């Protein structure tokens, strides 16, 4: 079951990050302003964030497998529909703003259903693991996500072939989603061990309950700010590279793929390499990750395109450590009854971090080119200083469920 969840995470990451890697070039082809290109993903992320609390009680009743499949359906519909919207825009049947509206609406379908799938996946992992095993499982899924972000930007430009052109990546990703959906009927259980307990307890903690918990909320707050910094990097690096390279958007696409692939490899090395090799604790992952992300962003503020790519890779290594670190810390700090609420909060963080931060950073970028890196560096530095100022032993995060 866990290997299949990793495969689903891998395939959807290929599509989502692959689409992110080609959207700056597609946006320039359609003459859509840069901040609106970032806004497309922000609208989807807002839908993701707003809808995530809605799924908590429903996952307990219907079981996680149903909602993981629903997320895959949303992924396929979104990718296929976005391909159609881009084609209509390129043919001038739709004006740029209308193309933006259609694209944003279709991406919101995935935001709505994808949040259900992410919450269900996190809850399923929490139900079947504990302690260090859960930390490794969460890091493993994060590694699958990072591996997908390596493959996505690498293959997306290759799929922009005649006669499909920019439609190629989206149609190819929709096909991958359809294959994963078919596989879900063979590999996912009809129900999970947590389903009966969750559905029989009407007083199970909600997402807001766990966020207000002093033991858990601290890690969720860390995650929200950290993921916002990463979103700023991820959704602006394409524009940075295009503007630092003289040939223009089409020629820069290969460099965007190189930078995003390097960042994903760095995160994968952190999650599948360093965490397992050194058996790092969640708090160590958080501290070290925040420090490296801060250093990477500071470096990327200076120099040319290769400096930006190298700084992005170093920051991605840091995020690759810190993101599974805060997820594992929050999960281990909660009881069995709190796991679905914690999963919902982590899902909300993934969406909320992509709403306003990339748009604001893109707007700041128009006035000062180093702005996205400076903002992300400041966030990571503040997180590190706050974490060091309030020491807590790693053992304190593990809730005694025995």
């Amino acid at each position: 079951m866990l290997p299949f969840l990793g495969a689903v995470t891998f395939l959807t990451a290929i599509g989502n990050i692959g689409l992110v890697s080609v959207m700056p070039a597609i946006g320039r082809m359609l003459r859509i302003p840069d901040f609106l290109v970032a806004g497309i993903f922000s609208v989807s992320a807002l839908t993701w964030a707003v809808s995530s609390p809605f799924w908590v009680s429903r996952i307990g009743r219907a079981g996680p497998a149903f909602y993981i499949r629903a997320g895959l359906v949303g992924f396929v519909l979104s990718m296929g529909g976005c391909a159609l919207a881009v084609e209509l825009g390129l043919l001038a049947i739709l004006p740029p703003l209308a193309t933006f509206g259609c694209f944003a609406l279709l991406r919101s379908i995935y935001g709505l259903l994808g949040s259900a799938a992410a919450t269900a996946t996190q809850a399923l992992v929490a139900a079947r693991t504990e302690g260090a095993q859960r930390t490794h499982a969460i890091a493993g899924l994060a590694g699958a996500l990072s591996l997908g972000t390596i493959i996505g930007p690498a293959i997306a430009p290759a799929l922009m072939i005649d006669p499909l052109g920019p439609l190629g990546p989206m149609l190819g990703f929709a096909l991958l989603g359809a294959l994963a959906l078919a596989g879900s009927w063979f590999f996912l259980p009809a129900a999970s061990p947590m389903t009966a307990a969750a559905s029989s307890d009407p007083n199970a903690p909600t997402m807001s309950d766990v966020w207000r918990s002093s033991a858990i909320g601290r890690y969720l707050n860390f995650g929200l700010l950290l993921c916002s910094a990463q979103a700023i990097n991820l959704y602006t690096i394409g524009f940075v590279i295009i503007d630092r390279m003289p040939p223009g958007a089409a020629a820069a696409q290969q460099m965007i793929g190189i930078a995003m692939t390097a960042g994903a490899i760095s995160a994968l090395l952190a999650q599948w390499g360093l965490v397992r090799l050194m058996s790092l604790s969640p708090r160590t992952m958080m501290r070290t990750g925040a420090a490296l992300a801060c250093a990477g962003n500071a470096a990327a503020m200076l120099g040319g395109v290769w400096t930006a790519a190298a700084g992005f890779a170093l920051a991605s290594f840091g995020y690759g450590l810190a993101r599974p670190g805060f997820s594992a810390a929050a999960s281990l700090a909660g009881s069995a009854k709190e796991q679905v609420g914690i999963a919902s909060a982590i899902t909300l963080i993934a969406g909320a971090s992509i709403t306003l931060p990339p748009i604001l950073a893109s707007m700041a970028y128009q006035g000062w080119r180093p702005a996205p890196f400076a903002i992300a560096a400041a966030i990571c530095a503040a997180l590190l200083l706050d974490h060091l100022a309030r020491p807590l032993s790693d053992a304190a995060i593990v809730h005694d469920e025995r």
Side-chain angles (χ1 to χ4, degrees):
M1 190 261 318
L2 286 176
F4 178 73
L5 292 179
V8 170
T9 302
F10 168 67
L11 291 177
T12 53
I14 287 177
N16 289 324
I17 305 302
L19 184 60
V20 170
S21 73
V22 298
M23 273 311 297
I26 293 175
R28 296 279 171 95
M29 291 178 194
L30 295 171
R31 295 182 175 84
I32 298 176
D34 292 352
F35 75 93
L36 284 183
V37 174
I40 288 171
F41 297 98
S42 295
V43 171
S44 172
L46 179 62
T47 306
W48 178 294
V50 170
S51 63
S52 58
F54 175 79
W55 304 116
V56 176
S57 61
R58 288 158 182 80
I59 289 172
R61 292 196 296 266
F66 175 83
Y67 288 99
I68 292 173
R69 293 189 186 104
L72 288 170
V73 170
F75 178 83
V76 173
L77 292 176
S78 173
M79 285 293 176
C82 286
L84 176 61
V86 169
E87 176 67 2
L88 294 176
L90 291 174
L91 294 175
I93 296 174
L94 288 178
L97 288 180
T99 304
F100 160 77
C102 289
F103 205 106
L105 178 62
L106 290 161
R107 283 297 299 171
S108 295
I109 294 175
Y110 178 68
L112 177 65
L113 297 178
S115 67
T119 300
T121 298
Q122 181 85 12
L124 198 54
V125 169
R128 298 201 169 193
T129 59
E130 59 183 19
Q133 182 188 17
R134 187 178 304 167
T135 301
H136 288 156
I138 291 173
L141 288 177
L145 177 68
S146 296
L147 184 60
T149 59
I150 295 171
I151 304 298
I155 69 172
L159 293 176
M160 297 175 71
I161 56 176
D162 293 331
L164 296 176
L167 307 184
M170 287 170 276
L171 294 176
F173 300 148
L175 177 60
L176 290 177
L179 293 174
L181 179 61
S184 70
W185 298 100
F186 296 96
F187 296 106
L188 287 181
S192 73
M194 50 76 62
T195 303
S199 61
S200 62
D201 185 4
N203 297 316
T206 64
M207 184 188 70
S208 59
D209 292 331
V210 299
W211 210 310
R212 287 196 297 266
S213 167
S214 59
I216 303 170
R218 177 181 178 186
Y219 302 110
L220 297 178
N221 291 331
F222 177 99
L224 179 60
L225 291 172
L226 180 90
C227 292
S228 296
Q230 185 177 24
I232 289 172
N233 287 161
L234 183 61
Y235 289 91
T236 59
I237 187 64
F239 300 119
V240 171
I241 289 176
I242 288 173
D243 291 331
R244 291 190 185 184
M245 289 187 68
Q253 185 59 55
Q254 183 178 5
M255 189 61 199
I256 294 174
I258 291 172
M260 296 188 72
T261 299
I265 290 174
S266 297
L268 182 63
L269 289 174
Q271 293 153 351
W272 282 4
L274 192 62
V275 172
R276 294 181 181 275
L277 181 65
M278 302 186 65
S279 297
L280 299 178
S281 66
R283 282 181 53 78
T284 299
M285 293 163 67
M286 293 165 65
R287 288 193 297 264
T288 306
L292 291 175
C294 180
N297 277 286
M301 292 175 63
L302 308 172
V305 64
W306 286 105
T307 305
F312 179 77
L314 178 58
S316 297
F317 189 94
Y319 297 130
L321 280 179
R323 284 195 70 153
F326 93 80
S327 297
S331 181
L332 292 171
S335 65
K337 292 182 178 180
E338 293 172 316
Q339 292 305 317
V340 176
I342 293 170
S344 177
I346 293 172
T347 300
L348 182 145
I349 286 170
S353 62
I354 310 174
T355 52
L356 287 179
I359 294 179
L360 296 177
S362 296
M363 295 174 69
Y365 176 68
Q366 303 305 315
W368 185 46
R369 293 309 196 194
F373 299 119
I375 295 170
I379 291 173
C380 294
L383 288 174
L384 179 61
L385 291 174
D386 178 71
H387 215 56
L388 293 175
R390 295 191 294 169
L392 182 66
S393 67
D394 288 302
I397 69 171
V398 182
H399 189 281
D400 186 6
E401 299 180 2
R402 289 176 285 181

